[in-house]
Amino acid sequence: MHAKSPENQSGGRPAWFEAGLPHIWLPYAQMKIAGDPLPVVATQGSRIVLADGRELIDGIASWWAACHGYNHPHIAAAVRHQLEVMPHVMFGGLAHEPALALARRLAALMPAGLDRVFFSDSGSVAVEVAMKMAVQYWGNKGVAGRTRFVAFNGGYHGDTTGAMAVSDPVDGMHHAFGGLLPRHLFCDLPRDEESFANLSDVIECHAGEIAGIIVEPLVQGAGGMQFHDVDVLERLRALADRHRILLIFDEIFTGFGRTGAMFASAAVAPDIVTLSKALTGGTLPLAATIARRAVFDAFWSDAPSHALMHGPTYMANPLACAAANASLDLFECEPRLSEVAAIAAALQQRLAPCRGMPRVRDVRVRGAIGAVEVDRIDNIYTLRRRFVAEGVFVRPFGTTVYLTPAFTIAPEELATLTDAVVTVVSEMK
């Protein structure tokens, strides 16, 4: 794939870049020392085309969202058609086919009983909605005081206030806001008997205050690609049932095949699930919070005060819903989960040389996730630029170098990514 060079470039930097950069505030970056972002002019498949003509193989699928690769023609055609018919209409008092069709299809993919879908426009907001559902569920049932959540060390649930409050308060990225956030209950995931006993004690002590337990099932993503097994989720389900607490699965990262199964919820059924990222195949912003029927029933009332008072302006945007329906089509008619299995096997084999390197603590793979954990990263920005020099786009964070490629990545492209990881990690002194 080759893109035409834009006009009015200065040293490979297009005029639009030079004119706009002084006015932009970039995410997750100390802009004084990070260096400038890379000007992008096109994407295709697993390739990112830069303004200077270079092509990078994308190792993270735009924060794990572009599961089908960039510019999939089926999704593009669906969005183009919807744009001509109805790009947007408010969802208050109105409804449209793309949203209702998507809600029906998502409910069909969930465990039995998870069948009420609330749409929003980002993963963080989906988590906020889930938390509001859980707190108001108890209030609507006449149970006062259940306003806190059990969350887990190493967890990350988003950047809005409520989501920050249930993300790791010590090692997470939001410790600067500790004075702002509500105080919830943090524990280690119950991976063994000791941590399970500690979690049980915390819940026993605070059961009357707890609205729900929130967890990223199987993988704590932004916490360093930390994995856990299904038995952890089974323990959480058992504790939630014992103490009549709602269980929330944040599947914003894990949903839609990333771990090897379509959803982690297939193994253990929660009461509420949040979805985003790959929901539209990485095309448009959309999120969903899906609740069990029993949760919804607590809001079904003659009392107006029992309604869920939340409604993003672009909730259930028809363009985004059209993209999401097209993405589900691809999961139905193309072998995505088989592709994930092949990626997992390749990652296991090709990242194995990192084991035993002096700076490497662990190498782990689950589905289309490969992680190399090192003892430290001295300069994250320098390390990211080193990957660009290898012709790949990889964004390590914390102490983790990771790959989460598109499921449709070509074997030779995946090999380039893994070779780059092995090379760069081997250079760490």
Side-chain angles (χ1 to χ4, degrees):
M1 175 186 171
H2 298 282
K4 294 181 179 180
S5 297
E7 298 179 357
N8 302 318
Q9 284 192 356
S10 174
R13 294 158 66 101
W16 57 261
F17 186 83
E18 297 285 4
L21 190 61
H23 306 285
I24 203 71
W25 197 328
L26 297 171
Y28 303 126
Q30 175 44 265
M31 292 179 63
K32 184 175 181 180
I33 61 175
D36 291 341
L38 301 170
V40 179
V41 295
T43 55
Q44 184 64 48
S46 290
R47 304 277 177 140
I48 298 171
V49 182
L50 304 183
D52 61 8
R54 286 179 295 165
E55 292 186 17
L56 302 180
I57 298 172
D58 186 0
I60 57 174
S62 278
W63 277 325
W64 327 320
C67 56
H68 309 291
Y70 296 115
N71 302 24
H72 195 289
H74 182 65
I75 298 178
V79 172
R80 201 155 35 237
H81 170 74
Q82 188 60 47
L83 182 63
E84 295 173 355
V85 175
M86 180 175 56
H88 184 65
V89 68
M90 65 182 289
F91 210 59
L94 303 170
H96 52 81
E97 183 178 4
L100 270 59
L102 179 59
R104 173 183 54 78
R105 295 176 76 180
L106 289 174
L109 292 170
M110 293 289 110
L114 280 153
D115 61 3
R116 286 288 179 164
V117 181
F118 189 99
F119 288 117
S120 56
D121 48 12
S122 78
S124 295
V125 176
V127 170
E128 300 275 349
V129 171
M131 294 172 69
K132 288 175 71 172
M133 285 178 177
V135 170
Q136 192 174 347
Y137 167 84
W138 292 110
N140 286 358
K141 290 173 70 70
V143 179
R146 289 202 174 210
T147 58
R148 301 181 76 186
F149 290 86
V150 174
F152 296 97
N153 298 322
Y156 170 81
H157 299 283
D159 299 334
T160 53
T161 303
M164 287 195 297
V166 289
S167 300
D168 190 310
V170 177
D171 296 324
M173 63 184 80
H174 300 309
H175 53 82
F177 300 97
L180 166 70
L181 303 176
R183 303 295 183 185
H184 296 297
L185 303 164
F186 284 87
C187 298
D188 290 334
L189 282 168
R191 289 185 168 94
D192 53 34
E193 291 305 318
E194 181 180 358
S195 55
F196 177 66
N198 179 67
L199 175 62
S200 299
D201 289 345
V202 169
I203 293 176
E204 184 76 37
C205 182
H206 297 277
E209 308 166 40
I210 298 170
I213 301 169
I214 184 166
V215 66
E216 299 160 272
L218 301 182
V219 183
Q220 291 180 310
M225 301 298 167
Q226 301 293 333
F227 302 161
H228 55 271
D229 295 327
V230 170
D231 66 325
V232 169
L233 305 181
E234 292 171 343
R235 287 170 170 170
L236 295 180
R237 180 71 270 176
L239 283 172
D241 290 343
R242 184 186 311 162
H243 296 283
R244 297 178 59 247
I245 295 169
L246 297 180
L247 180 60
I248 302 168
F249 280 4
D250 178 349
E251 290 230 45
I252 289 161
F253 172 40
T254 57
F256 302 100
R258 182 57 64 180
T259 65
M262 193 65 172
F263 298 101
S265 307
V268 176
D271 300 298
I272 302 173
V273 175
T274 61
L275 304 173
S276 190
K277 290 197 182 290
L279 175 56
T280 68
T283 305
L284 287 163
L286 184 68
T289 306
I290 307 177
R292 191 181 289 274
R293 189 175 303 115
V295 175
F296 176 81
D297 285 348
F299 293 78
W300 185 265
S301 168
D302 292 327
S305 62
H306 284 190
L308 179 63
M309 299 306 291
H310 199 100
T313 300
Y314 286 94
M315 175 182 183
N317 171 258
L319 288 175
C321 290
N325 278 306
S327 178
L328 291 183
D329 292 343
L330 295 175
F331 277 104
E332 292 174 359
C333 68
E334 296 187 0
R336 288 294 174 268
L337 297 186
S338 296
E339 291 166 344
V340 171
I343 290 170
L347 291 173
Q348 288 279 13
Q349 178 184 11
R350 298 191 65 89
L351 294 178
C354 293
R355 300 183 190 277
M357 289 183 182
R359 298 283 303 280
V360 174
R361 286 178 172 173
D362 191 23
V363 178
R364 49 188 178 268
V365 173
R366 173 164 285 171
I369 308 165
V372 178
E373 184 180 344
V374 297
D375 58 352
R376 71 183 189 279
I377 294 176
D378 296 321
N379 188 316
I380 200 78
Y381 303 117
T382 299
L383 186 60
R384 290 171 181 172
R385 288 192 289 270
R386 180 68 187 88
F387 278 108
V388 172
E390 289 291 316
V392 300
F393 187 70
V394 176
R395 267 179 73 91
F397 58 76
T399 57
T400 305
V401 179
Y402 73 95
L403 297 175
T404 52
F407 303 158
T408 55
I409 191 169
E412 60 272 17
E413 293 174 325
L414 184 58
T416 300
L417 287 172
T418 53
D419 288 349
V421 171
V422 172
T423 297
V424 173
V425 171
S426 72
E427 295 171 353
M428 293 182 174
K429 305 301 182 184

